[in-house]
C-alpha cells in the first residue's frame, strides 16, 4: 500500500480519534515520542529520538500503584494502563529493542503485568531509515535500517510518499480498515531498492563474542576499559535495551505510591546490598557488567544480543567511550 | 612543533625518566568534534596524546586520590579545579605534575550540530580560526569563536594559574561577562520559574552533570540517600529535578570553578551553567572570592570577615 506524505497528518488525526497516538515530536529542542492531538505535530524527518522507544512501554518512572491509609485500613489502586496505543514512526532499532525487552518482561519465571498490558495494547508503525547516521551500527547487530522485526506496520520513505507494509496480523487488520491505495510497481520497486541497498555500519563483528566474553570475567582487559568513564547513566538510560530498574516508595503522610524507576549499572548504588557490600564495587566491575549483560548474559538467557546498534550511547557519552571500540578491542584480544 | 607534538614530547620524557607513572590527557575521539580522555603509562602510549579545540572534559575529575605519580595535560579550567581540589585535600600536590596548556576555548559540538540543522558531520578540519564541516551533501565553514562553549567565551583564566611546565605562550585573559546572568536576573520571578521548569523538564536524572563535575565528589550524594529520602528518585517531578540542581549549586558555592563541565556532559542539553554562574557571580560580588585561582586564598565559605555582607540574612 502507499500513502502520500501530505496525507499523513489527516491519517494521524483519524487514528488519534480512536487511539492514543504516540509520534515523534519536537519539544524544547529535542525530538521525543509524545501523545499527539493533531497529526501536524508529528515530525517524521527526525534521525532518531533522544530518548529510546522503550520508554513508551517501560517508562523511566512508572507509578505501579497508589495507596492510602485511613482508619478503615489500606486502600490500593493498581495503575495498569490498557489504553489502545499506536506508535507511529518508530525507527527499526527501537522496534527491535521491544522484541528483546519482551524476553525480560515475559518469561517462564515472571510476567510483568504493567509492561505486558501496554505491550498487548500497542501497535508499532516502524519507519525505515534512508540515511543512517555515522553512529548507527544496527547492520552489525542483527537489525538494520529496514529491519521489520518488532513493527506491526512498516513504512518506507520513497520521497513523496511512504510505501506501507502490513507485517503482523494486528498490523494487517488495521491496514484493512484504513483503506489506503495499493502501491504501484514503481513505488514497490523503489521501496525494495532502499530496503536492499541502505545499510548502516555493518563491520562490527560479534560472531563468537558471547563465548569469548564467557571466559573473560577475570581478564585484565577490564582493568582499563572503564578508566575514563564518569559513572553517569547517559548510556544506560538512553539505551533502548537497558532495562534494569529500582523500586521506591514515594509517600507523604498517609498517601503514597510505589514507583519503578530506571536504574543504571554505572551507579555506585546499583546492586549495593543492605549490608554495605557491593558485588560491583568499582568502575571496572560496573563496565564489565554492562558489556557482559548485553553480549553474554542476555545471549545465554535469551539467545539474542541486547544491543540494537542505535548509537545513542556513542552520541551521548560525555567522554566518548565508544562501545564499538570496546567490542573491537575485545575481538582483537588473543 | 605544534601543541600536540610538544605535549607528546613532554609526556614521553616524563614517562621515560620515570618522573611520573601516568599522564592524563586527551586522545583523538571516535567521532568528528570529539576527543576523549586518555591515560598514557608508557612513552609509546604518550604518542596518542593530542590537543585540539575539542578537549572539552575537565580532567581534574580523574586526579582525585590518585595513588601513583601523575602528570596532567591541563587547560585553564582544569587547573582551577585542581587548585580547588588541592585545597580540599583531594589531590596531593607533590604527586602531581601540571603540564599547563593555554586555552583559546573549546568548541561546542551541540551548537555546531544545531547550526548545520542536525545533519551528520562526517569530517572536520580546523584551520585555526575556523572549522570546515563536511557531511554527505554539504560543506560549511564556521568561526570557532561563534561556536565556543558559553563558559569559554567568558573565561578569565584560559592561561593556567598553576603549572610545572607551560606548553606554548600565555593567551590574554577574556573579559568577565555575566551578561547572561544579568539578563536572567532581570526577569520576573514567574519568568525565571517558568524557564527553570522548562529546562528541568528535560532532566532524566542520569547525573552526568554531577559525575562530570570535578568538585562533586561526595561519597554519597544527597539524592542517592534512601533513608531519609531527601528527594524523590523519579525523573518526572520537575520540582525534584530542580531541587537536585539547586542543592548541587549551593553545595558548590564558593567552590564552582565555572568550567561548564556539567553543561557539556548533559545529554539533554539543559542550560545548567545558568544556576552555577549565578552563584559564582554572587560569591564574587558578595565576598570578592573566586574559586581555584590561587593556592593561598582561603575558601570563601571557610572564611569570616567582619565586613562580609550580611544583608541577605534574615
Amino acid at each position: 500500500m502507499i500513502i502520500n506524505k501530505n496525507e499523513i497528518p489527516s491519517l494521524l488525526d483519524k487514528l488519534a480519534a480512536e487511539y492514543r497516538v504516540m509520534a515523534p515530536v519536537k519539544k524544547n529542542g529535542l525530538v521525543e515520542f509524545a501523545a499527539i492531538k493533531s497529526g501536524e505535530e508529528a515530525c517524521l524527518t527526525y534521525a532518531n529520538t533522544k530518548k529510546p522507544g522503550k520508554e513508551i512501554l517501560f517508562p523511566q518512572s512508572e507509578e505501579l500503584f497508589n495507596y492510602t491509609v485511613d482508619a478503615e485500613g489500606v486502600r490500593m489502586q493498581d495503575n495498569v494502563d490498557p489504553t489502545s496505543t499506536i506508535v507511529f514512526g518508530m525507527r527499526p532499532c527501537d522496534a527491535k529493542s521491544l522484541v528483546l525487552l519482551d524476553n525480560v518482561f515475559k518469561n517462564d519465571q515472571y510476567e510483568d503485568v504493567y509492561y505486558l498490558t501496554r505491550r498487548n495494547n500497542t501497535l508499532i508503525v516502524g519507519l525505515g531509515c534512508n540515511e543512517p547516521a555515522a553512529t548507527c551500527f544496527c547492520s552489525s547487530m542483527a537489525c538494520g535500517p529496514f529491519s521489520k522485526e518488532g513493527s506491526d506496520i512498516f513504512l518506507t520513505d520513497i520521497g513523496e510518499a511512504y510505501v506501507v507494509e502490513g507485517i503482523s496480523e494486528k498490523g494487517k487488520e488495521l491496514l484493512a480498515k484504513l483503506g489506503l491505495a495499493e502501491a504501484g510497481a514503481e513505488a514497490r520497486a523503489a521501496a525494495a531498492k532502499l530496503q536492499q541497498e541502505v545499510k548502516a555500519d555493518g563491520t562490527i563483528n560479534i560472531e563468537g563474542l558471547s563465548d569469548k566474553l564467557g571466559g573473560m570475567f577475570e581478564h585484565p582487559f577490564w582493568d582499563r576499559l572503564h578508566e575514563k568513564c564518569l559513572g553517569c547513566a547517559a548510556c544506560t538510560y538512553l539505551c533502548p535495551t537497558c532495562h534494569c530498574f529500582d523500586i521506591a516508595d514515594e509517600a507523604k503522610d498517609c498517601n503514597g505510591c510505589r514507583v519503578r524507576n530506571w536504574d543504571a549499572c554505572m551507579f555506585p548504588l546499583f546492586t549495593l546490598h543492605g549490608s554495605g557490600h557491593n558485588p560491583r564495587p568499582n568502575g571496572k566491575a560496573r563496565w564489565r557488567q554492562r558489556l557482559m549483560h548485553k553480549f553474554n548474559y542476555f545471549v545465554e538467557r535469551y539467545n539474542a544480543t541486547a544491543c540494537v546498534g542505535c548509537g545513542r550511547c556513542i552520541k551521548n557519552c560525555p567522554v566518548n567511550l565508544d562501545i564499538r571500540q570496546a567490542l573491537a578491542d575485545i575481538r582483537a584480544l588473543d | 612543533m605544534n601543541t600536540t607534538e610538544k605535549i607528546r614530547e613532554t609526556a614521553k620524557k616524563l614517562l621515560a625518566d620515570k618522573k611520573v607513572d601516568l599522564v592524563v590527557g586527551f586522545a583523538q575521539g571516535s567521532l568528528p568534534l570529539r576527543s576523549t580522555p586518555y591515560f598514557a603509562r608508557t612513552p609509546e602510549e604518550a604518542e596518542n596524546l593530542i590537543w585540539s579545540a575539542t578537549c572539552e572534559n575537565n580532567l581534574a575529575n580523574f586526579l582525585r586520590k590518585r595513588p601513583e605519580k601523575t602528570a596532567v595535560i591541563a587547560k585553564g579550567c582544569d587547573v582551577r579545579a585542581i587548585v580547588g581540589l588541592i585545597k580540599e585535600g583531594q589531590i596531593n600536590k607533590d604527586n602531581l605534575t601540571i603540564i599547563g596548556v593555554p586555552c583559546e576555548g573549546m568548541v561546542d559540538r551541540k551548537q555546531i550540530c544545531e547550526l548545520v540543522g542536525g545533519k551528520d558531520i562526517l569530517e572536520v578540519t580546523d584551520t585555526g580560526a575556523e572549522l570546515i564541516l563536511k557531511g554527505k551533501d554539504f560543506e560549511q565553514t564556521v568561526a570557532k569563536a561563534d561556536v565556543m562553549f558559553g563558559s569559554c567565551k567568558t573565561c578569565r583564566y584560559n592561561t593556567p594559574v598553576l603549572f610545572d611546565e607551560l606548553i606554548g605562550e600565555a593567551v590574554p585573559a577574556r573579559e568577565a561577562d555575566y551578561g547572561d546572568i544579568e539578563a536572567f536576573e532581570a526577569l520576573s520571578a514567574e519568568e525565571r520559574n517558568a524557564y527553570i521548569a522548562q529546562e528541568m523538564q528535560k532532566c532524566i536524572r542520569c547525573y552526568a552533570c554531577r559525575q562530570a563535575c570535578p568538585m562533586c565528589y561526595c561519597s554519597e550524594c544527597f539524592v542517592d540517600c534512601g533513608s531519609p529520602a531527601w528527594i524523590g528518585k523519579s525523573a518526572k517531578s520537575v520540582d525534584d529535578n530542580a531541587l537536585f540542581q539547586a542543592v548541587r549549586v549551593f553545595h558548590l558555592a564558593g567552590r564552582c570553578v565555572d568550567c561548564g563541565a556539567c553543561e557539556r556532559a548533559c545529554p539533554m542539553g539543559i542550560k545548567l551553567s545558568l544556576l552555577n554562574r549565578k552563584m559564582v557571580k554572587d560569591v564574587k560580588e558578595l565576598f570578592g572570592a573566586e574559586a581555584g585561582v590561587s593556592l593561598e586564598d582561603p575558601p570563601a565559605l571557610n572564611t569570616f570577615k567582619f565586613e562580609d555582607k550580611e544583608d541577605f540574612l534574615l
Side-chain angles (χ1 to χ4, degrees), chain A residues 28 50 60-61 63 133-135 224 227-228 230-234 237 250 261 267 269 317-320 322 324, chain B residues 29-31 34 36-37 39 41 45 57 61-62 120 198 204-208 211 224 232-236 267:
Chain A
N28 281 342
K50 178 59 99 169
Q60 172 160 22
S61 295
E63 289 186 9
T135 43
R224 290 189 68 175
E227 262 187 327
K228 61 187 171 186
L230 299 173
C232 76
Y237 282 3
E250 294 195 349
N261 293 311
F267 288 151
L269 232 62
C317 176
V319 295
N320 187 226
D322 191 324
R324 296 171 300 182
Chain B
S30 68
L31 303 172
R34 296 301 310 257
T36 186
F39 299 73
R41 290 188 170 81
E45 286 180 347
N57 304 105
N61 220 353
F62 301 106
D120 231 4
Q198 174 204 303
I204 54 168
R205 298 282 279 273
C206 68
Y207 303 124
Q211 299 303 110
D224 288 334
K233 308 298 177 204
S234 68
K236 66 179 176 184

Side-chain angles (χ1 to χ4, degrees), chain A residues 3 39 63 139 143 146 197 218 249 306 326:
Chain A
I3 182 165
E63 289 186 9
S139 297
C143 188
F146 288 90
E197 289 179 2
E218 302 290 354
D249 276 6

Side-chain angles (χ1 to χ4, degrees), chain A residues 62-66 77-81 114 118 257-258:
Chain A
E62 177 173 24
E63 289 186 9
L64 302 178
F65 58 80
N66 295 77
Q77 193 201 340
D78 229 348
N79 292 329
V80 175
D81 176 10
Y114 304 98
R118 283 205 185 87
C257 62
R258 182 154 297 174

Side-chain angles (χ1 to χ4, degrees), chain B residues 256-274:
Chain B
C256 171
V257 297
D258 199 7
C259 66
C262 48
E263 188 167 302
R264 297 173 194 189
C266 178
M268 308 309 283
I270 301 173
K271 297 216 168 24
L272 292 167
S273 59
L274 187 69

Side-chain angles (χ1 to χ4, degrees), chain A residues 58-289:
Chain A
F58 170 45
Q60 172 160 22
S61 295
E62 177 173 24
E63 289 186 9
L64 302 178
F65 58 80
N66 295 77
Y67 56 87
T68 309
V69 184
D70 57 24
E72 284 158 29
V74 181
R75 273 175 293 155
M76 283 174 46
Q77 193 201 340
D78 229 348
N79 292 329
V80 175
D81 176 10
T83 314
S84 287
T85 303
I86 292 178
V87 180
F88 198 92
M90 184 179 259
R91 293 297 185 187
C93 50
D94 279 0
K96 158 107 187 193
S97 80
L98 303 180
V99 178
L100 296 170
L101 290 180
D102 288 346
N103 290 303
V104 177
F105 291 105
K106 185 182 184 184
N107 54 54
D108 53 3
Q109 290 170 4
Y110 179 67
E111 292 198 3
D112 187 273
V113 65
Y114 304 98
Y115 176 92
L116 289 175
T117 306
R118 283 205 185 87
R119 181 65 161 136
N120 294 333
N121 290 295
T122 299
L123 184 142
I124 307 289
V125 182
L127 170 62
C129 299
N130 293 18
E131 290 185 14
T135 43
C136 294
F137 59 106
C138 52
S139 297
S140 298
M141 293 290 146
C143 188
F146 288 90
S147 160
K148 293 164 191 168
E149 196 178 358
S151 291
D152 296 295
I153 292 171
F154 194 81
L155 307 180
T156 303
D157 179 351
I158 56 162
E160 296 292 302
Y162 295 105
V163 169
V164 185
E165 292 170 76
I167 309 296
S168 69
E169 281 311 310
K170 200 155 84 170
K172 287 175 185 162
E173 273 171 38
L174 179 69
L175 280 184
K177 284 199 284 183
L178 292 178
L180 301 178
E182 283 302 323
E186 206 177 311
R188 287 206 308 272
K193 189 169 187 290
L194 283 166
Q195 294 182 10
Q196 205 171 6
E197 289 179 2
V198 179
K199 296 270 183 290
D201 179 4
T203 60
I204 296 147
N205 186 349
I206 55 163
E207 202 189 328
L209 178 68
S210 173
D211 287 345
K212 189 168 190 176
L213 281 171
M216 270 185 61
F217 195 81
E218 302 290 354
H219 198 284
F221 170 76
W222 306 113
D223 292 341
R224 290 189 68 175
L225 172 66
H226 66 94
E227 262 187 327
K228 61 187 171 186
C229 173
L230 299 173
C232 76
C235 54
T236 52
Y237 282 3
L238 299 179
C239 172
T241 68
C242 273
H243 52 267
C244 288
F245 58 79
D246 190 23
I247 290 178
D249 276 6
E250 294 195 349
K252 196 177 174 196
D253 301 328
C254 293
N255 303 301
C257 62
R258 182 154 297 174
V259 189
R260 170 159 75 183
N261 293 311
W262 290 348
D263 199 357
C265 53
M266 297 289 118
F267 288 151
L269 232 62
F270 183 78
T271 63
L272 176 65
H273 295 181
S275 66
H277 170 70
N278 192 339
R280 300 180 187 91
N282 49 35
K284 171 185 167 177
R286 289 176 208 132
W287 250 96
R288 180 171 58 197
Q289 166 67 20

